[in-house]
Amino acid sequence: MNIQLIQKDTLDLKNNITIKQNISNPSSFLSYENELVQVVVNILKNAEEILVEKNISNPTISITIKHATLTIEDNASGIKQEILERNFEP
C-alpha cells in the first residue's frame, strides 16, 4: 500500500491541509489490500471534510506507520461521542 499515492489521489490540495508522515520500521503483513486502501481513503476524506467544515486554522492530518500499526489523526477536535459509539456499525 502506497500511502503517498493514496493521499495524493484522495485529498483536495486546494484545502491547504498539511500532511505529516512518520513512517518507521514498516512491516509487511497479510491483508486485503483493496479493502485496506478503501478504509484509509474513507478516513482521510472524513478528516478533510471535518477540517474544512470546522474551518480549522492550520489543518493537519498526521499519518504514522510503525511496525504493523497505522495511525491517522487530525486536529479537528475528535469524534462526537454519539457518533463514536456507532463507528463500527455496518
Side-chain angles (χ1 to χ4, degrees):
M1 178 173 74
N2 187 327
I3 200 76
Q4 285 87 4
L5 282 178
I6 293 170
Q7 74 186 31
K8 180 181 176 205
D9 292 342
T10 301
L11 300 176
D12 187 347
L13 298 178
K14 72 178 181 245
N15 289 319
N16 295 318
I17 297 173
T18 299
I19 305 293
K20 294 182 179 179
Q21 295 184 39
N22 181 8
I23 300 174
S24 62
N25 300 324
S27 299
S28 63
F29 55 92
L30 295 176
S31 73
Y32 295 100
E33 184 174 4
N34 291 337
E35 287 81 353
L36 183 57
V37 167
Q38 189 60 50
V39 168
V40 171
V41 166
N42 287 341
I43 293 170
L44 290 174
K45 285 206 158 293
N46 288 347
E48 177 185 36
E49 182 180 304
I50 200 67
L51 288 166
V52 171
E53 182 181 304
K54 288 186 171 184
N55 197 26
I56 301 294
S57 61
N58 302 316
T60 304
I61 299 173
S62 299
I63 302 168
T64 303
I65 300 174
K66 186 172 182 179
H67 303 293
T69 302
L70 168 66
T71 305
I72 302 173
E73 300 175 294
D74 62 49
N75 62 337
S77 303
I79 302 172
K80 293 179 184 177
Q81 187 63 35
E82 61 270 12
I83 294 172
L84 190 59
E85 290 170 359
R86 299 186 337 257
N87 200 40
F88 294 104
E89 290 180 3

